[in-house]
Amino acid sequence: MTDLDSNSIHTGLSGRMLLENPLLNKGTAFTFEERSELDLHGLLPPRVETLEEQCRRAYKSFVIKPTPILKHIYLRSLQDTNETLFYALVQRHLQEMLPIIYTPVVGQACQRYSDLYRRPRGLYISFPERDQIDAMLANFKRNIEVIVVTDGERILGLGDQGIGGMGICIGKLSLYSAVGGITPNLTLPITLDCGTNNKKLLEDPNYLGWRHERIGDDDYYEFLELFIQALKRRWPNALLQFEDFAINHATPLLEKYRDELCTFNDDIQGTAGVTAATLMAAAKAAGKSIEDLSVAFLGAGSAGCGIAEQIIRLMVGRGLSDEEARQRIYMVDRDGLVHDQMEGLRPFQQKLTHRFADIENWPAEGGASLADVIRIAKPDAIIGVSGQPGLFTQEIIENMAANHEQPIIFPLSNPISQVEALPEDIIKWTNGKALIATGSPFEPVQFNDRAYPIAQCNNIYIFPGLGLGVLASGANRISDKMLNVAVETLALASPALVNREAPLLPLMDRIQHVTNDIALAVALQAQKEGLAPVTELTDLEQKIRAKRWSPEYRRIRMSFC
Ligand SMILES: NC(=O)C1=CN([C@@H]2O[C@H](COP(=O)(O)OP(=O)(O)OC[C@H]3O[C@@H](n4cnc5c(N)ncnc54)[C@H](O)[C@@H]3O)[C@@H](O)[C@H]2O)C=CC1
Ligand SMILES: CC(=O)C(=O)O
Ligand SMILES: [Mg+2]
């Protein structure tokens, strides 16, 4: 029996079995008393280290790894050996290590998942084994409160990575713990292996997933339903985060399940939250308000349409009619600006069309391009969520700068290999005028004797706080209004509100603080809507504090029951 939440942890494990358990293993930090009680003498070097000393030693090993992917492999193996040390180390070097455990390097880790695979973590549910889902979930004896699930079909902007999608679920959950303070043993990454259409993976002899093309929609939705129902039986109150599903499944799954369990889609709702907040901050910095802006998107997919709807909700909340707000949004996809005469649009795209009659005089055969939209509609902001690199060309950026004193330019596609434009180019092409945010991290850009900090507009600013608020309050659903308050809270934390030269979002060293504020706002909103039991404010604050796990060693004791 293990109990990780009290100050001592009682376990039936001892000797090598204990050292093999990353949630309990302390490595060289086991004290002599513990070594005696738990049969560890001789299995560890004789010197007992503190957590601080272990962190120093681990950091030394980290910095000498010559490439980012080797650093990633090192940190992942530390996580699989000793989770407390892993989180203690990551929290001490958050700014430096986030890009290694998360975007951009996690992208490579997903692409090379089978080659790099070492130890089991999480749950793989493969379509051919779909009649055993209950038994698979039962393999995890502990309670699970947060799950990140993927089917691997749209990993960052890197397309179908099959079973390699597990890398992104592990990365996101590491952030739930490192940033949101969720106890690691309450989290579980899950990959639904539905096959893959990635030819390279299908032909790779090392590929560890089900070597089969992706299943068709009838089988797919039946499989997802089996998974959801099994999940509800095993952990009915768990928070389920959908991650990196392809455009054809992401919105339908969210709509199907959001009223049935506590769930959200990170790419639609988390991204919408952080981007709307960043846009509010950018509008303020440009001397405007969000309802004054018009916004063009490159990429009318899950992220793009999710962000657009969130912006529309904010605009309507500030007095515009729904129609007025929608007029301010321009969605550009592969075939150009989406309009109501376009064929093959998905239902969530149809709500974001312009009337063909209003744009038919735009001089564009075969559809108005982003460049046409910028020339004619002169949007204040452009947001790139196409997953395609380089599409914000010099001409596009220069035209944005010609139209606006401070053009807002957010190339949000991940990882860095897929970004629509590099910040240093945007700064150069706009002569330092642009207000920029990117999906992956970038160093400040040096231009004309000034350093321009680049905000990382990534859903990392939303999901750990949303999760912490949900778990601490006991909310059973995630509503649009809970996301709205997360947006408002994050926007208010923007350093650009007080200093025009500061980044649009708080620096990573403030992210835990902002996450707490978001958690409280979300929890209060859940209470207001009757989605969580009502408590006094001080009780709620206390619950959030109590829910926050910190990576410190607790005394490990032998359990005799
Ligand atoms: N910064 C952040 O926090 C987040 C960033 N993203 C990034 O956004 C990108 C897209 O993600 P999703 O919307 O979920 O994918 P998606 O596949 O649902 O949407 C992508 C859309 O871009 C369109 N597209 C592709 N090529 C295009 C082109 N040449 N011109 C115009 N449109 C084009 C596709 O037709 C599709 O509609 C990914 O790279 C992802 O990494 C997604 C979620 C969060
Ligand atoms: C950040 C993220 O969720 C994505 O790029 O898909
Ligand atoms: Mg994602």
Side-chain angles (χ1 to χ4, degrees):
M1 186 190 110
T2 58
D3 172 7
L4 279 173
D5 291 326
S6 62
N7 275 338
S8 300
I9 300 169
H10 294 260
T11 178
L13 299 177
S14 62
R16 284 203 59 84
M17 294 285 279
L18 176 59
L19 300 179
E20 288 292 322
N21 184 321
L23 290 164
L24 299 175
N25 183 23
K26 301 183 183 184
T28 51
F30 276 112
T31 62
F32 280 116
E33 277 168 307
E34 286 171 321
R35 292 178 192 206
S36 297
E37 186 176 333
L38 299 161
D39 297 333
L40 295 172
H41 281 298
L43 299 182
L44 294 162
R47 194 175 132 220
V48 175
E49 284 184 305
T50 63
L51 180 57
E52 208 50 57
E53 286 169 329
Q54 286 182 315
C55 280
R56 275 202 293 275
R57 210 159 40 77
Y59 184 67
K60 257 175 126 174
S61 296
F62 172 83
V63 287
I64 59 166
K65 301 286 175 289
T67 62
I69 189 69
L70 288 173
K71 287 182 174 10
H72 177 94
I73 293 168
Y74 172 71
L75 287 181
R76 279 283 299 105
S77 97
L78 191 60
Q79 184 180 21
D80 286 345
T81 317
N82 179 341
E83 296 223 22
T84 309
L85 175 55
F86 167 77
Y87 284 110
L89 182 69
V90 168
Q91 285 189 347
R92 281 161 180 72
H93 304 276
L94 205 53
Q95 186 103 14
E96 183 177 3
M97 292 186 178
L98 277 185
I100 303 294
I101 58 174
Y102 188 46
T103 184
V105 183
V106 72
Q108 287 176 53
C110 291
Q111 288 175 304
R112 298 175 53 190
Y113 192 79
S114 294
D115 289 339
L116 302 180
Y117 180 82
R118 289 181 179 187
R119 292 175 69 110
R121 172 171 289 269
L123 177 61
Y124 301 87
I125 308 179
S126 186
F127 179 73
E129 296 178 304
R130 62 194 174 284
D131 58 344
Q132 295 174 47
I133 300 180
D134 285 306
M136 290 180 190
L137 298 180
N139 281 334
F140 294 83
K141 310 290 179 220
R142 55 189 205 261
N143 188 36
I144 294 295
E145 295 191 358
V146 188
I147 290 166
V148 176
V149 66
T150 191
D151 68 1
E153 195 170 0
R154 190 291 273 148
I155 297 300
L156 306 169
L158 302 170
D160 187 346
Q161 299 304 325
I163 208 168
M166 184 59 109
I168 203 75
C169 300
I170 293 172
K172 294 272 177 182
L173 285 168
S174 303
L175 305 181
Y176 265 102
S177 297
V179 175
I182 307 298
T183 316
N185 71 322
L186 298 176
T187 70
L188 183 66
I190 300 185
T191 293
L192 300 174
D193 185 4
C194 306
T196 178
N197 293 337
N198 183 329
K199 215 166 157 272
K200 223 170 123 192
L201 293 180
L202 287 171
E203 288 169 0
D204 178 355
N206 288 340
Y207 181 58
L208 291 173
W210 180 42
R211 205 178 292 268
H212 194 281
E213 66 188 29
R214 279 188 181 271
I215 53 180
D217 269 359
D218 288 349
D219 282 340
Y220 181 87
Y221 285 107
E222 211 174 289
F223 182 37
L224 265 287
E225 177 67 9
L226 287 174
F227 165 65
I228 295 286
Q229 296 315 324
L231 193 66
K232 282 170 65 183
R233 283 190 289 276
R234 181 78 181 93
W235 298 300
N237 302 318
L239 164 63
L240 178 70
Q241 170 169 327
F242 282 98
E243 189 66 46
D244 287 5
F245 283 71
I247 187 168
N248 48 330
H249 296 137
T251 304
L253 286 172
L254 177 63
E255 283 174 0
K256 184 162 179 204
Y257 291 116
R258 70 176 298 182
D259 294 325
E260 196 174 321
L261 68 160
C262 188
T263 191
F264 74 105
N265 180 302
D266 185 38
D267 301 292
I268 301 173
Q269 295 162 289
T271 314
V274 66
T275 311
T278 318
L279 198 62
M280 282 171 80
K284 268 261 163 57
K288 297 175 187 173
S289 186
I290 189 148
E291 65 275 19
D292 302 329
L293 302 183
S294 59
V295 185
F297 288 80
L298 191 66
S302 307
C305 293
I307 301 166
E309 293 292 348
Q310 179 69 56
I311 294 171
I312 291 165
R313 274 198 295 280
L314 285 173
M315 288 176 165
V316 170
R318 284 164 171 69
L320 296 194
S321 69
D322 187 69
E323 200 187 335
E324 284 167 338
R326 283 178 195 276
Q327 283 298 316
R328 293 177 170 275
I329 303 293
Y330 298 86
M331 306 302 301
V332 180
D333 209 82
R334 288 174 202 273
D335 297 326
L337 177 61
V338 302
H339 59 74
D340 59 359
Q341 302 295 308
M342 222 174 213
E343 287 182 2
L345 291 182
R346 298 166 202 277
F348 63 87
Q349 295 170 320
Q350 283 163 7
K351 291 191 266 174
L352 291 162
T353 53
H354 276 259
R355 286 191 347 197
F356 182 66
D358 295 340
I359 62 161
E360 68 180 329
N361 295 329
W362 289 21
E365 233 173 80
S369 66
L370 179 64
D372 296 323
V373 172
I374 290 169
R375 204 162 30 78
I376 298 167
K378 300 190 171 28
D380 302 84
I382 53 172
I383 297 179
V385 269
S386 63
Q388 304 299 317
L391 297 183
F392 286 175
T393 59
Q394 182 167 355
E395 186 195 351
I396 280 176
I397 303 290
E398 284 176 352
N399 284 341
M400 284 296 290
N403 291 342
H404 298 284
E405 188 49 40
Q406 286 188 287
I408 299 168
I409 299 173
F410 293 176
L412 298 188
S413 289
N414 296 318
I416 288 171
S417 61
Q418 307 308 110
V419 71
E420 284 83 1
L422 293 170
E424 59 179 287
D425 288 332
I426 303 175
I427 295 282
K428 196 167 61 191
W429 297 333
T430 62
N431 205 17
K433 286 163 50 172
L435 295 162
I436 304 174
T438 51
S440 294
F442 283 90
E443 291 297 318
V445 174
Q446 289 295 332
F447 181 75
N448 282 351
D449 298 330
R450 210 195 114 182
Y452 291 77
I454 308 297
Q456 188 184 352
C457 177
N458 189 293
N459 42 38
I460 185 184
Y461 280 96
I462 296 290
F463 66 81
L466 185 63
L468 181 59
V470 164
L471 265 49
S473 66
N476 56 16
R477 295 290 180 274
I478 295 180
S479 69
D480 283 344
K481 285 187 180 152
M482 286 157 72
L483 284 151
N484 289 350
V485 296
V487 174
E488 306 271 359
T489 308
L490 179 56
L492 279 176
S494 166
L497 299 188
V498 285
N499 173 4
R500 291 177 75 121
E501 297 196 355
L504 295 171
L505 286 168
L507 291 178
M508 282 298 162
D509 60 8
R510 296 276 304 153
I511 193 167
Q512 282 146 319
H513 189 84
V514 179
T515 293
N516 261 354
D517 292 347
I518 291 176
L520 183 60
V522 163
L524 280 169
Q525 182 61 35
Q527 291 191 344
K528 240 191 229 168
E529 290 180 68
L531 299 173
V534 177
T535 59
E536 295 290 323
L537 176 63
T538 47
D539 288 348
L540 198 51
E541 288 169 332
Q542 169 54 24
K543 281 185 174 179
I544 290 174
R545 271 196 301 277
K547 197 77 208 165
R548 259 194 175 279
W549 169 85
S550 57
E552 287 154 13
Y553 289 131
R554 288 146 182 88
R555 171 75 203 263
I556 309 255
R557 291 179 181 282
M558 183 71 100
S559 155
F560 296 102
C561 51

